[in-house]
Amino acid sequence: MSAGEAILPGKTIGVLGGGQLGRMLAQAATRLGYRVHVYEPQANCPAGAVAHQEVNAPYEDTAALTAFAKECDVVTYEFENVPAPPLKAIEAVTLLRPHWSVLETTQNRSREKRWLRDNGFPHAKFAEGTDIAAGIREVGVPCVVKTADFGYDGKGQFKVMTDADIPAAVKKFAGQPVVIEQFIDFACEVSAVVARSPGAAVRVFPIAENIHTNHILDFSIVPARVAPAVIAAAEKLARLIAEKINLVGVMGVELFVTKTGEVLVNELAPRTHNSGHWTLDACMTSQFEQQVRAICGLPLGAVTLLSPVVMVNILGDAWKNGEPKWDALLAQPNVRLHLYGKAGARPGRKMGHFTVTARDADMALEFAEKYKARLAG
Ligand code: AMP
C-alpha cells in the first residue's frame, strides 16, 4: 500500500494498547465500517470488548507483533508507553501511523524536551540526566523532577518547592534518568488535539481548558475561557508541531498559559487525548473518528464546536460508597455518560467520563461540578 492511497472502510485497523482510548477508537472505526484488531498484553481489555479480534501477548514479542501487523492494513497505538524498539518490526510489514520516530521522541521526556528545544518551541527551562542535585542547581527552585521514561498523569513526579525538598528528590530518583523542569506558576492549562493526514492536511480541534486534581485531569472546558490571543497561539503551536514532527494521525498537545499570557508546551501525546473526549458529544467530528480518518488517509472531518461543553473524568474514587449513582446522572437532560467497561474501580483509575452541555462554558462547569459531587452519593 502506498502512502497516498486511502485505506477504505472494510479494511482492518490494528491498535496497540487496549485501554479506553483504543476502545473509543474501535467504536468510531467500526461505525465507519472498518474491522479492528487490538494487541494488548492483558486479557479482557476495554478495547478488546468492542473489537473484532483481541491478541494478548507482550509488546516485546516481535513474532506475535509481526503476525498481528500482517493482518492489518494500518497499525496505530493508543498510548505512548508501548516500548518503541519492537515496533520497528511492524514498519517492515504494514503502515505504522503515527510513524515510529514520533513515538520514540514523545515517549521519553528527555527526548521530547530536546526536540521542543531544538525545533524552537516554547517550553519550561529544563535540565536532564542522572545527577539530580546538579540539575536542580541548574534549573533553580522551585522545580519539578520527572522520570524520563513512562510518566503520565503525574506518575513519577516530585515538586521541589524549597531547598528543604532537595534531599528527598535526590533520594527518590537516585540513579534514574530524569528531567528537571522549572516550576511554572501558570494561570491555567489548555490543550489542543491536532490531526494531520498523509496528504499534510491539518485540523486543530477547539482548544480545551483543563483543570487537574492530584495531577489527573478532572475537568475539560470548551471553549477555553482564555484570551483570543492565547487560543490563536495554542492552535498555531499545535499545527506547527504536527507539521514539524511529520505527524500522520492525532496528537494531544498539553500547554501551560503563564500569568503574562505566554503559552508553553508541557507535553506531547501521539494519540487521542483525555482532554479531547468532549468531541464525542459536542463536535462535528470526534477525535477518535478524526484519528481513523487521518491514519486511513481519508478527508479530515470538520472540527466545528456544536455546543459549549464540560467533560468530567470518572475515577475509581467515585465507587468509594459503592456503585455510583448513575440514575441521578442519567436523569439530567444535558449529560452523556461514557463508561469503559473496566472491572476494578481503584482510586485514581479512569473508569469513564461524562459530558455536560449548556448555554455557555461557565454554566456547563457549574452543572458539571454539581453532578460530579452527587455521583459518589
Ligand atoms: P505531566 O505528566 O507532565 O503532564 O504533568 C501532570 C500535571 O502536573 C500537569 O498537567 C501540571 O498540572 C503539573 N505540572 C507538570 N509539570 C509542571 C511544571 N513544570 N510546572 C507546574 N506544574 C507542572
Side-chain angles (χ1 to χ4, degrees):
M1 158 98 41
S2 83
E5 236 172 279
I7 298 159
L8 296 174
K11 298 284 188 185
T12 301
I13 297 175
V15 186
L16 302 172
Q20 63 268 19
L21 300 181
R23 178 183 175 95
M24 291 183 273
L25 167 61
Q27 286 166 331
T30 51
R31 188 169 63 80
L32 285 173
Y34 287 92
R35 291 182 56 79
V36 178
H37 292 189
V38 169
Y39 189 104
E40 154 71 45
Q42 309 245 335
N44 302 318
C45 63
V50 298
H52 294 84
Q53 244 188 63
E54 175 178 347
V55 173
N56 299 125
Y59 291 125
E60 293 76 11
D61 185 342
T62 313
L65 265 183
T66 308
F68 171 82
K70 277 190 179 143
E71 302 277 310
C72 301
D73 297 283
V74 59
V75 172
T76 192
Y77 34 90
E78 61 110 48
F79 86 137
E80 64 272 31
N81 291 337
V82 178
L87 263 56
K88 264 228 172 277
I90 290 182
E91 291 196 319
V93 277
T94 193
L95 291 170
L96 179 67
R97 289 175 165 168
H99 188 274
W100 185 82
S101 68
V102 178
L103 181 72
E104 215 233 352
T105 302
T106 54
Q107 72 177 194
N108 173 279
R109 285 189 198 273
S110 276
R111 278 198 290 275
E112 181 174 282
K113 279 279 186 300
R114 259 184 259 144
W115 185 88
L116 290 169
R117 181 189 61 203
D118 296 347
N119 289 285
F121 292 107
H123 54 81
K125 182 179 173 192
F126 73 97
E128 52 171 326
T130 49
D131 189 338
I132 321 287
I136 294 174
R137 272 197 305 277
E138 187 183 331
V139 172
V141 174
C143 62
V144 185
V145 186
K146 304 179 179 181
T147 50
D149 283 309
F150 300 117
Y152 65 100
D153 285 346
K155 290 190 169 63
Q157 288 195 22
F158 189 86
K159 277 195 196 123
V160 177
M161 298 314 281
T162 69
D163 288 354
D165 298 330
I166 297 176
V170 170
K171 190 167 169 223
K172 182 175 164 73
F173 295 98
Q176 280 187 62
V178 297
V179 168
I180 297 159
E181 289 174 22
Q182 173 193 9
F183 177 80
I184 306 295
D185 185 20
F186 50 74
C188 69
E189 292 185 84
V190 298
S191 58
V193 176
V194 56
R196 186 166 176 272
S197 68
V202 176
R203 291 264 162 93
V204 183
F205 283 97
I207 303 301
E209 173 189 346
N210 301 318
I211 299 175
H212 292 83
T213 305
N214 299 327
H215 297 284
I216 301 178
L217 184 64
D218 204 354
F219 300 97
S220 282
I221 304 158
V222 186
R225 298 162 304 166
V226 295
V230 168
I231 300 277
E235 284 175 356
K236 188 172 169 194
L237 281 172
R239 169 181 289 273
L240 292 177
I241 287 169
E243 286 169 350
K244 198 77 196 177
I245 211 161
N246 201 13
L247 177 72
V248 175
V250 163
M251 174 174 272
V253 180
E254 296 178 20
L255 304 150
F256 296 135
V257 182
T258 69
K259 290 186 172 148
T260 55
E262 213 185 336
V263 181
L264 305 175
V265 181
N266 171 33
E267 206 172 20
L268 309 177
R271 48 160 172 83
T272 52
H273 197 260
N274 193 170
S275 68
H277 289 358
W278 63 270
T279 57
L280 283 165
D281 303 321
C283 193
M284 202 58 207
T285 309
S286 78
Q287 61 169 347
F288 303 99
E289 179 175 336
Q290 200 74 305
Q291 185 178 28
V292 173
R293 288 173 178 244
I295 63 173
C296 292
L298 299 176
L300 295 181
V303 290
T304 320
L305 179 66
L306 301 177
S307 166
V309 62
V310 168
M311 190 261 350
V312 185
N313 266 338
I314 301 172
L315 303 182
D317 312 61
W319 274 254
K320 66 175 191 272
N321 301 323
E323 191 68 16
K325 297 211 160 68
W326 304 125
D327 49 353
L329 193 61
L330 291 167
Q332 303 303 332
N334 57 347
V335 164
R336 290 191 75 184
L337 174 64
H338 302 254
L339 293 171
Y340 307 146
K342 295 184 184 178
R346 293 188 299 275
R349 187 174 193 209
K350 291 174 182 171
M351 303 296 289
H353 70 269
F354 67 91
T355 50
V356 183
T357 49
R359 208 174 50 223
D360 60 48
D362 285 326
M363 191 181 279
L365 182 59
E366 224 173 280
F367 279 122
E369 283 170 339
K370 194 166 72 183
Y371 298 159
K372 185 188 168 190
R374 287 185 197 152
L375 196 56

